[in-house]
Amino acid sequence: MTPSPRSWTTILLVLLASPLTADEVSDAWSEGRSAFASGDYAAALDAFERAKSGNQSGPAVYYNIGVSQYRLQDYAAARRTFTLLDKRFPAMRPLAQYNLGLVALKLGRADVARRHFRSSYLLAGDDPKLRALASTQLRRLVDDSEPAAEWLRASRHVPVTTTT
C-alpha cells in the first residue's frame, strides 16, 4: 500500500522535527566556521542555524548567526539576533551593543549607533580591544562642535580624562 500525500507530509514533518545528533551539531558548527572563513556567509548562516536547531544554544551560535546575517546585508535580521544576544546573555552585552551600533550605521541611524557604541564602551569594562573599537566608532560619530570626552561623560556620568 502506497502512503497518501498526506501521510508523506506527516512523515516529512516528523523527520524534519527530529533533533540533530551531537555529531551532526558539531559538524554543522564546523561547516559554519569553514564557510564563514571562506566568505560563504549564506552557507555559514545555514550551518549555524542548523547547529542552533540541534540544541546548540550558547552565545557563540547567536553571535555567529548575527555576524553572518550582517555580512549578507540582512540588517533587520542581524539586529534581531544581536538584540536577542544582548538580552539572553548578559556577558555578551558589550559585544552585542557594539554590533547593534554597526547595524544601526548600515541602516543610516547614526543617533541609534551612537547610543549602542556608548553602551558598548561603558559595558566593556577592562576589555581594551572592545573599548578601542567602540571608542573609534564614537569618535567618527561625534559632532565636531562637541568634544568626544564630554560626549562620553554625558552618556552615563562616567569620568573621562583627557589630555590637551
Side-chain angles (χ1 to χ4, degrees):
M1 177 173 175
T2 305
S4 69
R6 182 179 226 149
S7 297
W8 281 117
T9 302
T10 302
I11 292 167
L12 182 60
L13 287 174
V14 168
L15 290 173
L16 290 175
S18 299
L20 298 177
T21 66
D23 286 342
E24 290 170 322
V25 171
S26 179
D27 290 347
W29 182 254
S30 294
E31 287 171 30
R33 290 182 60 191
S34 294
F36 191 91
S38 70
D40 187 351
Y41 305 117
L45 177 59
D46 178 62
F48 292 136
E49 289 282 3
R50 280 186 287 123
K52 186 178 93 174
S53 72
N55 293 327
Q56 183 163 355
S57 58
V61 74
Y62 288 97
Y63 176 77
N64 283 289
I65 287 170
V67 173
S68 296
Q69 292 164 330
Y70 179 88
R71 293 289 179 102
L72 290 167
Q73 299 178 2
D74 188 350
Y75 302 122
R79 181 177 55 208
R80 286 189 301 272
T81 301
F82 289 127
T83 298
L84 183 66
L85 182 69
D86 179 74
K87 291 184 185 321
R88 242 186 227 177
F89 304 98
M92 295 294 288
R93 285 198 76 214
L95 188 57
Q97 286 293 312
Y98 179 79
N99 281 281
L100 284 165
L102 294 177
V103 168
L105 283 179
K106 290 295 187 179
L107 294 173
R109 298 291 314 270
D111 56 327
V112 174
R114 275 193 295 260
R115 255 193 340 263
H116 288 300
F117 291 134
R118 278 187 213 159
S119 181
S120 176
Y121 179 87
L122 294 168
L123 292 169
D126 61 355
D127 181 341
K129 188 183 242 182
L130 188 54
R131 284 179 70 94
L133 288 170
S135 180
T136 298
Q137 291 296 335
L138 286 169
R139 277 196 292 286
R140 289 180 182 156
L141 293 170
V142 168
D143 181 336
D144 288 337
S145 66
E146 187 179 11
E150 291 299 320
W151 188 59
L152 286 172
R153 186 180 357 237
S155 68
R156 283 236 190 129
H157 307 290
V158 173
V160 177
T161 58
T162 59
T163 57
T164 52

